[in-house]
Amino acid sequence: MAATKPMRDQVTDYIISLQTSIVEALEKLDPSAAPFKRDSWVRSEGGLGQSCVFAVDPESKDATAHQTILEKAGVNISVVHGQLPPKAIAQMRADHSEIPYDPESGKSLPFFAAGLSLVIHPRNPHAPTVHANYRYFEISEAAEESDATPPQLYSADKAQGKVIAWWFGGGSDLTPSYLYPEDAAHFHDTLKSACDPHHEALYPAFKKWCDEYFYIPHRKETRGIGGIFFDDLSPADHKRLSEEANKTKPKTPQDIFAFVQSCGNSFVQSYVPILEKRHATPWTDTQRRWQLIRRGRYVEFNLVYDRGTKFGLQTPGARIESILMSLPEIARWEYMSDMGTQEDTEEAKLLAVLREPKEWATTAAH
């Protein structure tokens, strides 16, 4: 029997495949638009990746170029490795006590991280922005220097130190400018259907976590209508799950990976039907103005609060273009804007659910 691939290799194979399937689904939706730009890169500190980005040249004289379904989008993967500094290890031990480490040693530990991250900003104000991210992280014992992975590329053929800690994280969330309850229900139902076969406690716990995580304190509102968000999924008990759920939740690397794959594989079905339905809806200049204001809120969250953005910008050798791919092409900030303040408007209806998140899923547990 052939040896099972290391989890890092399984995750790498999966995110490459997932990136391809998502980009192809989006390109199929708008065949008259230019294809996504495939931009492969190598990290000098260790690792590689590919950014697949859609953006229209603002100087283009071709009128059809400014009538695309998407305005800006990116579906990125990265597979990186290197040395985790003592300060970062100390922070991670707060949630991963299994990491055996003497903070007085001053030594670094090898890390490996692989993930897919996407953000899609449609042109039409009635079509929602969407974000998804699925990732794997592991820390190893230091390998012998002579057997260490070369700094340019990750290679499974090279000797690796013993894995001493690992976990998965991820999620997906929807950010509309205009509220369509049926779209919110479809998005959440699809995610719930992906979660439930792995444990019925996962969706409600991670839905609540998503509402709490994507919150903009200085605005007192969530970024969007949520989805799921999770981190630190490993064999250990999870603080977001009940004692009973922790006894029966996925625990092995393969079972947790299967859960992550189920969520990742559900992305196209959760979002593309909404985009198909909304991208041709007639819209006004006022609705476009509101969309750009909402995009401003998106920028505020990503640059001020998002942990992933902060981690990326602080990582040595960070690829800034890929990290800031999540920002919209155009956004707006109005001083003391009155949009959304008048009762019984469509803008006010959105703000009501952003200030008091609600349950959207309509499907029963499996």
Side-chain angles (χ1 to χ4, degrees):
M1 181 181 294
T4 303
K5 280 186 176 182
M7 181 52 69
R8 60 179 69 183
D9 292 344
Q10 295 183 56
V11 173
T12 298
D13 290 345
Y14 174 64
I15 62 173
I16 291 172
S17 173
L18 183 60
Q19 180 189 45
T20 298
S21 65
I22 292 173
V23 171
E24 288 180 349
L26 293 170
E27 289 179 333
K28 183 179 179 181
L29 188 64
D30 196 2
S32 63
F36 277 62
K37 177 182 178 181
R38 274 76 167 171
D39 179 19
S40 297
W41 50 268
V42 173
R43 178 175 176 265
S44 61
E45 290 81 0
L48 47 73
Q50 178 174 251
S51 299
C52 293
V53 178
F54 180 90
V56 175
D57 179 0
E59 301 299 322
S60 174
K61 304 302 182 182
D62 181 0
T64 61
H66 303 282
Q67 297 171 2
T68 53
I69 293 176
L70 304 181
E71 188 165 13
K72 184 181 178 186
V75 184
N76 297 349
I77 59 171
S78 62
V79 182
V80 301
H81 59 88
Q83 295 294 315
L84 204 61
K87 184 177 180 180
I89 298 170
Q91 291 176 338
M92 289 181 176
R93 290 190 79 240
D95 292 311
H96 300 278
S97 59
E98 70 272 22
I99 302 174
Y101 185 71
D102 177 9
E104 302 299 323
S105 69
K107 294 182 179 179
S108 299
L109 287 175
F111 80 91
F112 171 89
L116 174 144
S117 182
L118 68 84
V119 177
I120 299 168
H121 294 289
R123 190 174 300 279
N124 193 307
H126 297 278
T129 286
V130 70
H131 158 260
N133 172 270
Y134 294 101
R135 58 193 179 273
Y136 171 72
F137 194 95
E138 70 179 32
I139 299 174
S140 306
E141 292 178 344
E144 292 297 326
E145 187 174 347
S146 60
D147 292 329
T149 303
Q152 290 80 21
L153 301 173
Y154 165 68
S155 171
D157 296 331
K158 294 291 181 179
Q160 302 291 325
K162 177 184 176 182
V163 176
I164 56 178
W166 59 268
W167 58 89
F168 284 90
S172 183
D173 62 285
L174 198 68
T175 304
S177 298
Y178 286 92
L179 183 65
Y180 290 92
E182 62 271 32
D183 293 353
H186 169 81
F187 187 78
H188 278 267
D189 283 343
T190 306
L191 287 173
K192 187 174 185 297
S193 294
C195 294
D196 282 352
H198 302 274
H199 200 292
E200 63 182 20
L202 298 178
Y203 169 79
F206 297 159
K207 189 271 182 189
K208 184 174 186 293
W209 199 353
C210 186
D211 289 336
E212 293 171 359
Y213 179 79
F214 292 104
Y215 181 72
I216 310 173
H218 63 269
R219 298 290 186 181
K220 295 183 173 57
E221 61 190 40
T222 56
R223 188 176 76 176
I225 56 91
I228 59 171
F229 175 88
F230 60 92
D231 202 2
D232 303 318
L233 278 188
S234 69
D237 285 354
H238 200 282
K239 60 187 178 182
R240 288 278 171 169
L241 298 174
S242 68
E243 181 179 354
E244 187 62 31
N246 271 312
K247 292 178 182 178
T248 53
K249 75 172 180 67
K251 285 186 170 63
T252 69
Q254 289 303 145
D255 286 346
I256 297 176
F257 183 36
F259 164 69
V260 171
Q261 288 175 285
S262 181
C263 293
N265 294 343
S266 75
F267 174 77
V268 169
Q269 180 55 37
S270 72
Y271 180 66
V272 171
I274 297 173
L275 194 52
E276 288 178 321
K277 186 190 302 183
R278 303 298 173 197
H279 76 83
T281 303
W283 49 276
T284 66
D285 290 343
T286 298
Q287 290 168 337
R288 173 64 169 176
R289 173 187 162 201
W290 176 243
Q291 178 194 40
L292 298 186
I293 291 174
R294 296 313 309 168
R295 286 182 178 177
R297 300 288 202 273
Y298 202 94
V299 172
E300 289 173 23
F301 176 85
N302 280 28
L303 295 183
V304 178
Y305 300 110
D306 185 61
R307 293 189 314 183
T309 302
K310 289 181 178 180
F311 179 81
L313 294 174
Q314 294 169 0
T315 301
R319 195 167 191 274
I320 304 302
E321 290 295 334
S322 295
I323 296 168
L324 298 183
M325 168 277 298
S326 65
L327 303 184
E329 187 82 15
I330 305 170
R332 185 181 180 98
W333 287 267
E334 294 184 6
Y335 184 74
M336 301 293 286
S337 176
D338 62 349
M339 291 202 76
T341 61
Q342 299 176 0
E343 294 184 6
D344 299 324
T345 63
E346 294 302 310
E347 293 79 15
K349 290 177 183 177
L350 175 72
L351 287 179
V353 300
L354 299 185
R355 290 167 179 163
E356 292 187 24
K358 60 179 292 186
E359 298 299 323
W360 294 105
T362 62
T363 57
H366 289 201

mmCIF file with all atom_site columns, all heavy atoms in Angstrom, residues 264-280:
data_model
loop_
_atom_site.group_PDB
_atom_site.id
_atom_site.type_symbol
_atom_site.label_atom_id
_atom_site.label_alt_id
_atom_site.label_comp_id
_atom_site.label_asym_id
_atom_site.label_entity_id
_atom_site.label_seq_id
_atom_site.pdbx_PDB_ins_code
_atom_site.Cartn_x
_atom_site.Cartn_y
_atom_site.Cartn_z
_atom_site.occupancy
_atom_site.B_iso_or_equiv
_atom_site.pdbx_formal_charge
_atom_site.auth_seq_id
_atom_site.auth_comp_id
_atom_site.auth_asym_id
_atom_site.auth_atom_id
_atom_site.pdbx_PDB_model_num
ATOM 1   N N   . GLY A 1 264 ? -15.039 24.230 1.239   1.00 0.00 ? 264 GLY A N   1
ATOM 2   C CA  . GLY A 1 264 ? -14.441 24.826 0.047   1.00 0.00 ? 264 GLY A CA  1
ATOM 3   C C   . GLY A 1 264 ? -15.177 24.450 -1.219  1.00 0.00 ? 264 GLY A C   1
ATOM 4   O O   . GLY A 1 264 ? -15.413 25.288 -2.102  1.00 0.00 ? 264 GLY A O   1
ATOM 5   N N   . ASN A 1 265 ? -15.572 23.182 -1.322  1.00 0.00 ? 265 ASN A N   1
ATOM 6   C CA  . ASN A 1 265 ? -16.259 22.714 -2.523  1.00 0.00 ? 265 ASN A CA  1
ATOM 7   C C   . ASN A 1 265 ? -17.649 23.316 -2.672  1.00 0.00 ? 265 ASN A C   1
ATOM 8   O O   . ASN A 1 265 ? -18.222 23.301 -3.767  1.00 0.00 ? 265 ASN A O   1
ATOM 9   C CB  . ASN A 1 265 ? -16.371 21.189 -2.507  1.00 0.00 ? 265 ASN A CB  1
ATOM 10  C CG  . ASN A 1 265 ? -15.021 20.501 -2.618  1.00 0.00 ? 265 ASN A CG  1
ATOM 11  O OD1 . ASN A 1 265 ? -14.033 21.111 -3.017  1.00 0.00 ? 265 ASN A OD1 1
ATOM 12  N ND2 . ASN A 1 265 ? -14.969 19.231 -2.250  1.00 0.00 ? 265 ASN A ND2 1
ATOM 13  N N   . SER A 1 266 ? -18.203 23.842 -1.574  1.00 0.00 ? 266 SER A N   1
ATOM 14  C CA  . SER A 1 266 ? -19.550 24.420 -1.627  1.00 0.00 ? 266 SER A CA  1
ATOM 15  C C   . SER A 1 266 ? -19.543 25.860 -2.127  1.00 0.00 ? 266 SER A C   1
ATOM 16  O O   . SER A 1 266 ? -20.608 26.442 -2.351  1.00 0.00 ? 266 SER A O   1
ATOM 17  C CB  . SER A 1 266 ? -20.199 24.372 -0.238  1.00 0.00 ? 266 SER A CB  1
ATOM 18  O OG  . SER A 1 266 ? -19.638 25.359 0.624   1.00 0.00 ? 266 SER A OG  1
ATOM 19  N N   . PHE A 1 267 ? -18.355 26.462 -2.295  1.00 0.00 ? 267 PHE A N   1
ATOM 20  C CA  . PHE A 1 267 ? -18.312 27.889 -2.590  1.00 0.00 ? 267 PHE A CA  1
ATOM 21  C C   . PHE A 1 267 ? -19.056 28.256 -3.870  1.00 0.00 ? 267 PHE A C   1
ATOM 22  O O   . PHE A 1 267 ? -19.891 29.174 -3.885  1.00 0.00 ? 267 PHE A O   1
ATOM 23  C CB  . PHE A 1 267 ? -16.873 28.406 -2.688  1.00 0.00 ? 267 PHE A CB  1
ATOM 24  C CG  . PHE A 1 267 ? -16.833 29.838 -3.140  1.00 0.00 ? 267 PHE A CG  1
ATOM 25  C CD1 . PHE A 1 267 ? -17.133 30.859 -2.258  1.00 0.00 ? 267 PHE A CD1 1
ATOM 26  C CD2 . PHE A 1 267 ? -16.602 30.162 -4.476  1.00 0.00 ? 267 PHE A CD2 1
ATOM 27  C CE1 . PHE A 1 267 ? -17.187 32.179 -2.679  1.00 0.00 ? 267 PHE A CE1 1
ATOM 28  C CE2 . PHE A 1 267 ? -16.641 31.477 -4.904  1.00 0.00 ? 267 PHE A CE2 1
ATOM 29  C CZ  . PHE A 1 267 ? -16.932 32.490 -4.000  1.00 0.00 ? 267 PHE A CZ  1
ATOM 30  N N   . VAL A 1 268 ? -18.758 27.577 -4.969  1.00 0.00 ? 268 VAL A N   1
ATOM 31  C CA  . VAL A 1 268 ? -19.371 27.931 -6.248  1.00 0.00 ? 268 VAL A CA  1
ATOM 32  C C   . VAL A 1 268 ? -20.891 27.857 -6.147  1.00 0.00 ? 268 VAL A C   1
ATOM 33  O O   . VAL A 1 268 ? -21.602 28.767 -6.599  1.00 0.00 ? 268 VAL A O   1
ATOM 34  C CB  . VAL A 1 268 ? -18.842 27.017 -7.374  1.00 0.00 ? 268 VAL A CB  1
ATOM 35  C CG1 . VAL A 1 268 ? -19.664 27.206 -8.651  1.00 0.00 ? 268 VAL A CG1 1
ATOM 36  C CG2 . VAL A 1 268 ? -17.368 27.321 -7.654  1.00 0.00 ? 268 VAL A CG2 1
ATOM 37  N N   . GLN A 1 269 ? -21.411 26.797 -5.525  1.00 0.00 ? 269 GLN A N   1
ATOM 38  C CA  . GLN A 1 269 ? -22.855 26.651 -5.413  1.00 0.00 ? 269 GLN A CA  1
ATOM 39  C C   . GLN A 1 269 ? -23.462 27.694 -4.476  1.00 0.00 ? 269 GLN A C   1
ATOM 40  O O   . GLN A 1 269 ? -24.603 28.132 -4.655  1.00 0.00 ? 269 GLN A O   1
ATOM 41  C CB  . GLN A 1 269 ? -23.214 25.252 -4.914  1.00 0.00 ? 269 GLN A CB  1
ATOM 42  C CG  . GLN A 1 269 ? -24.704 24.992 -4.764  1.00 0.00 ? 269 GLN A CG  1
ATOM 43  C CD  . GLN A 1 269 ? -25.508 25.264 -6.038  1.00 0.00 ? 269 GLN A CD  1
ATOM 44  O OE1 . GLN A 1 269 ? -25.032 24.986 -7.134  1.00 0.00 ? 269 GLN A OE1 1
ATOM 45  N NE2 . GLN A 1 269 ? -26.705 25.816 -5.896  1.00 0.00 ? 269 GLN A NE2 1
ATOM 46  N N   . SER A 1 270 ? -22.707 28.147 -3.484  1.00 0.00 ? 270 SER A N   1
ATOM 47  C CA  . SER A 1 270 ? -23.244 29.128 -2.534  1.00 0.00 ? 270 SER A CA  1
ATOM 48  C C   . SER A 1 270 ? -23.344 30.518 -3.149  1.00 0.00 ? 270 SER A C   1
ATOM 49  O O   . SER A 1 270 ? -24.219 31.307 -2.772  1.00 0.00 ? 270 SER A O   1
ATOM 50  C CB  . SER A 1 270 ? -22.357 29.188 -1.280  1.00 0.00 ? 270 SER A CB  1
ATOM 51  O OG  . SER A 1 270 ? -21.116 29.823 -1.561  1.00 0.00 ? 270 SER A OG  1
ATOM 52  N N   . TYR A 1 271 ? -22.461 30.830 -4.107  1.00 0.00 ? 271 TYR A N   1
ATOM 53  C CA  . TYR A 1 271 ? -22.363 32.214 -4.576  1.00 0.00 ? 271 TYR A CA  1
ATOM 54  C C   . TYR A 1 271 ? -22.742 32.438 -6.037  1.00 0.00 ? 271 TYR A C   1
ATOM 55  O O   . TYR A 1 271 ? -23.459 33.409 -6.344  1.00 0.00 ? 271 TYR A O   1
ATOM 56  C CB  . TYR A 1 271 ? -20.938 32.724 -4.355  1.00 0.00 ? 271 TYR A CB  1
ATOM 57  C CG  . TYR A 1 271 ? -20.735 34.155 -4.811  1.00 0.00 ? 271 TYR A CG  1
ATOM 58  C CD1 . TYR A 1 271 ? -21.391 35.203 -4.161  1.00 0.00 ? 271 TYR A CD1 1
ATOM 59  C CD2 . TYR A 1 271 ? -19.924 34.459 -5.894  1.00 0.00 ? 271 TYR A CD2 1
ATOM 60  C CE1 . TYR A 1 271 ? -21.219 36.517 -4.580  1.00 0.00 ? 271 TYR A CE1 1
ATOM 61  C CE2 . TYR A 1 271 ? -19.750 35.772 -6.315  1.00 0.00 ? 271 TYR A CE2 1
ATOM 62  C CZ  . TYR A 1 271 ? -20.406 36.800 -5.661  1.00 0.00 ? 271 TYR A CZ  1
ATOM 63  O OH  . TYR A 1 271 ? -20.249 38.095 -6.077  1.00 0.00 ? 271 TYR A OH  1
ATOM 64  N N   . VAL A 1 272 ? -22.282 31.586 -6.933  1.00 0.00 ? 272 VAL A N   1
ATOM 65  C CA  . VAL A 1 272 ? -22.497 31.846 -8.358  1.00 0.00 ? 272 VAL A CA  1
ATOM 66  C C   . VAL A 1 272 ? -23.983 31.968 -8.725  1.00 0.00 ? 272 VAL A C   1
ATOM 67  O O   . VAL A 1 272 ? -24.347 32.852 -9.514  1.00 0.00 ? 272 VAL A O   1
ATOM 68  C CB  . VAL A 1 272 ? -21.778 30.787 -9.217  1.00 0.00 ? 272 VAL A CB  1
ATOM 69  C CG1 . VAL A 1 272 ? -22.180 30.908 -10.687 1.00 0.00 ? 272 VAL A CG1 1
ATOM 70  C CG2 . VAL A 1 272 ? -20.259 30.955 -9.086  1.00 0.00 ? 272 VAL A CG2 1
ATOM 71  N N   . PRO A 1 273 ? -24.889 31.140 -8.179  1.00 0.00 ? 273 PRO A N   1
ATOM 72  C CA  . PRO A 1 273 ? -26.311 31.347 -8.501  1.00 0.00 ? 273 PRO A CA  1
ATOM 73  C C   . PRO A 1 273 ? -26.829 32.729 -8.112  1.00 0.00 ? 273 PRO A C   1
ATOM 74  O O   . PRO A 1 273 ? -27.696 33.288 -8.794  1.00 0.00 ? 273 PRO A O   1
ATOM 75  C CB  . PRO A 1 273 ? -27.021 30.241 -7.711  1.00 0.00 ? 273 PRO A CB  1
ATOM 76  C CG  . PRO A 1 273 ? -25.990 29.170 -7.575  1.00 0.00 ? 273 PRO A CG  1
ATOM 77  C CD  . PRO A 1 273 ? -24.690 29.908 -7.388  1.00 0.00 ? 273 PRO A CD  1
ATOM 78  N N   . ILE A 1 274 ? -26.317 33.293 -7.027  1.00 0.00 ? 274 ILE A N   1
ATOM 79  C CA  . ILE A 1 274 ? -26.713 34.647 -6.629  1.00 0.00 ? 274 ILE A CA  1
ATOM 80  C C   . ILE A 1 274 ? -26.203 35.653 -7.649  1.00 0.00 ? 274 ILE A C   1
ATOM 81  O O   . ILE A 1 274 ? -26.927 36.569 -8.067  1.00 0.00 ? 274 ILE A O   1
ATOM 82  C CB  . ILE A 1 274 ? -26.167 34.970 -5.225  1.00 0.00 ? 274 ILE A CB  1
ATOM 83  C CG1 . ILE A 1 274 ? -26.769 34.031 -4.182  1.00 0.00 ? 274 ILE A CG1 1
ATOM 84  C CG2 . ILE A 1 274 ? -26.458 36.426 -4.863  1.00 0.00 ? 274 ILE A CG2 1
ATOM 85  C CD1 . ILE A 1 274 ? -26.161 34.183 -2.796  1.00 0.00 ? 274 ILE A CD1 1
ATOM 86  N N   . LEU A 1 275 ? -24.971 35.497 -8.060  1.00 0.00 ? 275 LEU A N   1
ATOM 87  C CA  . LEU A 1 275 ? -24.388 36.404 -9.051  1.00 0.00 ? 275 LEU A CA  1
ATOM 88  C C   . LEU A 1 275 ? -25.127 36.300 -10.381 1.00 0.00 ? 275 LEU A C   1
ATOM 89  O O   . LEU A 1 275 ? -25.383 37.320 -11.041 1.00 0.00 ? 275 LEU A O   1
ATOM 90  C CB  . LEU A 1 275 ? -22.908 36.063 -9.229  1.00 0.00 ? 275 LEU A CB  1
ATOM 91  C CG  . LEU A 1 275 ? -22.018 37.072 -9.948  1.00 0.00 ? 275 LEU A CG  1
ATOM 92  C CD1 . LEU A 1 275 ? -22.147 38.453 -9.342  1.00 0.00 ? 275 LEU A CD1 1
ATOM 93  C CD2 . LEU A 1 275 ? -20.570 36.598 -9.916  1.00 0.00 ? 275 LEU A CD2 1
ATOM 94  N N   . GLU A 1 276 ? -25.493 35.091 -10.762 1.00 0.00 ? 276 GLU A N   1
ATOM 95  C CA  . GLU A 1 276 ? -26.261 34.898 -12.001 1.00 0.00 ? 276 GLU A CA  1
ATOM 96  C C   . GLU A 1 276 ? -27.596 35.634 -11.933 1.00 0.00 ? 276 GLU A C   1
ATOM 97  O O   . GLU A 1 276 ? -28.058 36.220 -12.923 1.00 0.00 ? 276 GLU A O   1
ATOM 98  C CB  . GLU A 1 276 ? -26.508 33.405 -12.233 1.00 0.00 ? 276 GLU A CB  1
ATOM 99  C CG  . GLU A 1 276 ? -25.275 32.626 -12.653 1.00 0.00 ? 276 GLU A CG  1
ATOM 100 C CD  . GLU A 1 276 ? -25.563 31.152 -12.812 1.00 0.00 ? 276 GLU A CD  1
ATOM 101 O OE1 . GLU A 1 276 ? -26.328 30.588 -11.986 1.00 0.00 ? 276 GLU A OE1 1
ATOM 102 O OE2 . GLU A 1 276 ? -25.035 30.536 -13.758 1.00 0.00 ? 276 GLU A OE2 1
ATOM 103 N N   . LYS A 1 277 ? -28.205 35.615 -10.765 1.00 0.00 ? 277 LYS A N   1
ATOM 104 C CA  . LYS A 1 277 ? -29.535 36.204 -10.593 1.00 0.00 ? 277 LYS A CA  1
ATOM 105 C C   . LYS A 1 277 ? -29.504 37.732 -10.549 1.00 0.00 ? 277 LYS A C   1
ATOM 106 O O   . LYS A 1 277 ? -30.433 38.395 -11.035 1.00 0.00 ? 277 LYS A O   1
ATOM 107 C CB  . LYS A 1 277 ? -30.160 35.670 -9.292  1.00 0.00 ? 277 LYS A CB  1
ATOM 108 C CG  . LYS A 1 277 ? -31.600 36.100 -9.067  1.00 0.00 ? 277 LYS A CG  1
ATOM 109 C CD  . LYS A 1 277 ? -32.062 35.730 -7.653  1.00 0.00 ? 277 LYS A CD  1
ATOM 110 C CE  . LYS A 1 277 ? -31.959 34.256 -7.370  1.00 0.00 ? 277 LYS A CE  1
ATOM 111 N NZ  . LYS A 1 277 ? -32.493 33.919 -6.012  1.00 0.00 ? 277 LYS A NZ  1
ATOM 112 N N   . ARG A 1 278 ? -28.430 38.305 -9.990  1.00 0.00 ? 278 ARG A N   1
ATOM 113 C CA  . ARG A 1 278 ? -28.429 39.738 -9.688  1.00 0.00 ? 278 ARG A CA  1
ATOM 114 C C   . ARG A 1 278 ? -27.607 40.601 -10.634 1.00 0.00 ? 278 ARG A C   1
ATOM 115 O O   . ARG A 1 278 ? -27.776 41.818 -10.645 1.00 0.00 ? 278 ARG A O   1
ATOM 116 C CB  . ARG A 1 278 ? -27.899 39.966 -8.262  1.00 0.00 ? 278 ARG A CB  1
ATOM 117 C CG  . ARG A 1 278 ? -28.667 39.228 -7.171  1.00 0.00 ? 278 ARG A CG  1
ATOM 118 C CD  . ARG A 1 278 ? -30.108 39.675 -7.085  1.00 0.00 ? 278 ARG A CD  1
ATOM 119 N NE  . ARG A 1 278 ? -30.847 38.821 -6.141  1.00 0.00 ? 278 ARG A NE  1
ATOM 120 C CZ  . ARG A 1 278 ? -32.168 38.756 -6.095  1.00 0.00 ? 278 ARG A CZ  1
ATOM 121 N NH1 . ARG A 1 278 ? -32.896 39.500 -6.916  1.00 0.00 ? 278 ARG A NH1 1
ATOM 122 N NH2 . ARG A 1 278 ? -32.750 37.956 -5.235  1.00 0.00 ? 278 ARG A NH2 1
ATOM 123 N N   . HIS A 1 279 ? -26.725 40.033 -11.425 1.00 0.00 ? 279 HIS A N   1
ATOM 124 C CA  . HIS A 1 279 ? -25.757 40.873 -12.140 1.00 0.00 ? 279 HIS A CA  1
ATOM 125 C C   . HIS A 1 279 ? -26.391 41.765 -13.203 1.00 0.00 ? 279 HIS A C   1
ATOM 126 O O   . HIS A 1 279 ? -25.794 42.784 -13.585 1.00 0.00 ? 279 HIS A O   1
ATOM 127 C CB  . HIS A 1 279 ? -24.657 40.004 -12.762 1.00 0.00 ? 279 HIS A CB  1
ATOM 128 C CG  . HIS A 1 279 ? -25.069 39.270 -14.010 1.00 0.00 ? 279 HIS A CG  1
ATOM 129 N ND1 . HIS A 1 279 ? -25.063 39.860 -15.253 1.00 0.00 ? 279 HIS A ND1 1
ATOM 130 C CD2 . HIS A 1 279 ? -25.474 37.989 -14.187 1.00 0.00 ? 279 HIS A CD2 1
ATOM 131 C CE1 . HIS A 1 279 ? -25.454 38.978 -16.146 1.00 0.00 ? 279 HIS A CE1 1
ATOM 132 N NE2 . HIS A 1 279 ? -25.719 37.839 -15.536 1.00 0.00 ? 279 HIS A NE2 1
ATOM 133 N N   . ALA A 1 280 ? -27.577 41.413 -13.684 1.00 0.00 ? 280 ALA A N   1
ATOM 134 C CA  . ALA A 1 280 ? -28.214 42.224 -14.723 1.00 0.00 ? 280 ALA A CA  1
ATOM 135 C C   . ALA A 1 280 ? -29.356 43.086 -14.186 1.00 0.00 ? 280 ALA A C   1
ATOM 136 O O   . ALA A 1 280 ? -30.077 43.718 -14.963 1.00 0.00 ? 280 ALA A O   1
ATOM 137 C CB  . ALA A 1 280 ? -28.727 41.316 -15.844 1.00 0.00 ? 280 ALA A CB  1
#
